[in-house]
Amino acid sequence: MQILVLGSGGREHALVWKLAQSALAAKIYVAPGNGGTALEGVENVPYKVDDIQGLVRFAKEKAIDLVVPGPELPLTLGIVDAMSKAGIACFGPDQYAAQLEGSKAFAKTIMQRASVPTADCLVVSSLEEAHAAIARLGAPLVVKADGLAAGKGVVVCQSLDEAHAAADAMLGQHTFGHAGDRLVIEECLKGEEVSLLCFCDGQKAYALPSAQDHKAAFDHDQGPNTGGMGAYSPAPILSMEAGREVARQTVQPVLDVLASDGHPFVGILYAGLMMTDAGPKVLEYNVRFGDPECQPLLMRLESDLVKVMLDCVEGRMTEDALVFSPKTALGIVVAAEGYPGSYARDLPINGLDSASKLEDVKVFHSGTRCSEQGQILSTGGRILCVTALGSDLLKAQAQAYRAVKQLSIPRSFFRTDIGNKGVKRLSQA
Ligand code: AMP
Ligand code: GLY
């Protein structure tokens, strides 16, 4: 089969690495890819993920059999609809269903229709309504831009003043452009967060093992929110059994509503959950793998990923098609100083060989390129995701940190506490 992966991050490196292990994969292209994907024996092709027409033309020209979008942008722009018009299978939801991530107001409406537990909210589209909603809900509360805002459109506000200011910025000053034309203003939930991803074949949700992301830039969850500074799987807070039950409450009902709307959901539906005292509640849906959750999850996946994706696209997934290693996987993101704000580029990355030589370690590239001289240089805020497997969480954590220490990248940083929440929970058990 000819496969085309879309994206350029650590998630896409992991997807390419796993897809390439399949006997079904004859040739893999990645658009645009990165320095790490180029090392996997696949071909990087210079298309942007939002160039839908260019990608369709390329897919036709190369007789692509399966397209695998990594990020949400091409999905919300309708890549699945465009590829299916051209008769090309695409592992993801159509544009209607992708609104689950593209519009927080849409996601809330679907959750209400599907009776999924989530924070109480009000959707507003004028400053007057916003200020009234804030006064009505009371602090603490959360102000969210409706549309895609590169992970920055959510402000958790401890005071009413902060909430009014956030609403002013989004609706009054258009800090997120049209993404902030509508706001979701919601109750602030308390608890530990966990990610539950499901493979979906249009009708049914098949839960993956749980994972936990680390969104804050610095240790002890301090500093600004990032795309994710590290992740591990499984998260002791949500066992496989419990995860399947939570998927029945929070993902399956959404698939049922979307199918009844004539838009069966294919691909990954990712529920970002808050484990509250009143049970798990959905904070958000993503319509794709998380980055960096994808890296540890795929390190644990033992099934053929090409076959799993085809089964989803063709509506014939089964529970036993999905086999995961009982081991724990943990990934540490190495980022450029300044990230998630402005950061230096072209930092030379050394020590990749010695890190990769360690047992059960895989170094996924997030923002890298290979220079003409063969030197790997950074291009992104997130540079690498160093991922290790271990027989338990402590061993995976120790091995991943051992690998990180082999690297030498000037002006870079990483969190030193990835996995600690899980370690604490296990020691209390
Ligand atoms: P979202 O993009 O909606 O997942 O929001 C990003 C982050 O904001 C989440 O990972 C949470 O840490 C936080 N967050 C979002 N919604 C809420 C909420 N209702 N209560 C508390 N924290 C929230
Ligand atoms: N790591 C969170 C996300 O990919 O949205």
Side-chain angles (χ1 to χ4, degrees):
M1 287 184 64
Q2 311 284 311
I3 300 172
L4 171 63
V5 176
L6 310 182
S8 59
R11 164 183 51 211
E12 288 75 23
H13 185 180
L15 284 167
V16 159
W17 167 81
K18 189 68 201 172
L19 291 166
Q21 292 169 18
S22 168
L24 296 168
K27 166 104 191 172
I28 302 179
Y29 299 91
V30 54
N34 64 31
T37 58
L39 297 173
E40 298 294 341
V42 307
E43 191 174 331
N44 287 1
V45 291
Y47 288 90
K48 292 202 174 126
V49 297
D50 61 357
D51 180 6
I52 306 296
Q53 289 319 314
L55 288 165
V56 170
R57 262 197 317 274
F58 177 82
K60 276 190 191 160
E61 198 184 295
K62 298 291 181 191
I64 298 291
D65 302 291
L66 176 67
V67 179
V68 181
E72 61 279 14
L73 185 60
L75 294 165
T76 59
L77 292 176
I79 188 91
V80 171
D81 312 64
M83 289 289 175
S84 21
K85 237 188 241 159
I88 299 165
C90 198
F91 177 77
D94 69 10
Q95 192 168 21
Y96 176 86
Q99 290 179 86
L100 274 181
E101 179 163 359
S103 163
K104 292 189 190 290
F106 177 90
K108 282 290 189 183
T109 305
I110 298 281
M111 280 190 257
Q112 272 153 12
R113 289 174 60 201
S115 303
V116 167
T118 184
D120 287 338
C121 81
L122 294 160
V123 178
V124 301
S125 47
S126 75
L127 267 176
E128 204 179 1
E129 285 176 300
H131 293 313
I134 289 166
R136 192 162 134 206
L137 278 174
L141 80 174
V142 186
V143 177
K144 301 183 173 187
D146 176 49
L148 294 180
K152 293 178 186 151
V154 174
V155 188
V156 179
C157 306
Q158 296 307 326
S159 72
L160 289 180
D161 283 351
E162 273 176 88
H164 288 300
D168 280 336
M170 292 183 197
L171 267 175
Q173 291 145 36
H174 309 287
T175 39
F176 299 117
H178 289 304
D181 285 352
R182 240 185 341 176
L183 306 184
V184 172
I185 298 182
E186 70 181 30
E187 159 200 21
C188 187
L189 300 175
K190 286 200 179 58
E192 194 172 319
E193 285 180 53
V194 65
S195 306
L196 180 66
L197 286 75
C198 296
F199 277 103
C200 302
D201 70 352
Q203 302 303 320
K204 265 197 79 183
Y206 299 85
L208 281 74
S210 63
Q212 193 166 49
D213 190 8
H214 297 64
K215 290 208 163 114
F218 309 129
D219 283 5
H220 312 298
D221 291 336
Q222 299 297 303
N225 251 345
T226 69
M229 292 298 293
Y232 63 99
S233 168
I237 192 169
L238 193 64
S239 69
M240 195 66 222
E241 260 324 286
R244 286 202 181 104
E245 182 50 38
V246 176
R248 275 192 282 277
Q249 297 161 13
T250 63
V251 178
Q252 187 59 47
V254 167
L255 299 196
D256 296 342
V257 166
L258 290 171
S260 74
D261 285 354
H263 296 273
F265 190 103
V266 170
I268 291 283
L269 187 51
Y270 163 146
L273 301 168
M274 186 73 95
M275 305 301 280
T276 73
D277 289 343
K281 294 193 178 186
V282 174
L283 294 173
E284 64 162 347
Y285 289 110
N286 293 321
V287 296
R288 42 139 185 111
F289 276 104
D291 187 344
E293 294 95 318
C294 181
Q295 293 85 316
L297 283 169
L298 290 189
M299 262 192 98
R300 293 185 58 204
L301 180 64
E302 290 178 345
S303 318
D304 178 330
L305 184 58
V306 178
K307 183 176 179 311
V308 167
M309 288 183 166
L310 283 176
D311 285 353
C312 287
V313 172
E314 288 163 11
R316 52 178 167 82
M317 255 301 277
T318 53
E319 196 77 60
D320 40 335
L322 215 48
V323 180
F324 283 87
S325 155
K327 290 184 175 173
T328 293
L330 181 139
I332 302 157
V333 170
V334 181
E337 236 172 61
Y339 174 77
S342 59
Y343 51 83
R345 284 157 214 262
D346 286 335
L347 305 171
I349 301 163
N350 289 310
L352 283 169
D353 282 348
S354 27
S356 305
K357 265 190 214 127
L358 292 177
E359 201 182 347
D360 287 333
V361 168
K362 178 71 190 171
V363 180
F364 294 110
H365 293 220
S366 303
T368 71
R369 69 180 175 92
C370 189
S371 76
E372 276 164 22
Q373 293 75 33
Q375 169 73 50
I376 301 285
L377 299 169
S378 76
T379 56
R382 290 192 289 181
I383 304 173
L384 301 169
C385 180
V386 180
T387 311
L389 268 180
S391 53
D392 59 31
L393 176 54
L394 275 173
K395 293 202 176 76
Q397 188 186 45
Q399 189 69 345
Y401 277 107
R402 211 169 284 137
V404 163
K405 291 202 182 101
Q406 305 296 312
L407 296 167
S408 145
I409 312 173
R411 301 178 63 200
S412 65
F413 74 100
F414 55 87
R415 276 180 62 157
T416 66
D417 64 345
I418 303 301
N420 279 4
K421 273 192 200 133
V423 171
K424 189 168 162 206
R425 193 165 283 276
L426 289 175
S427 69
Q428 286 165 348

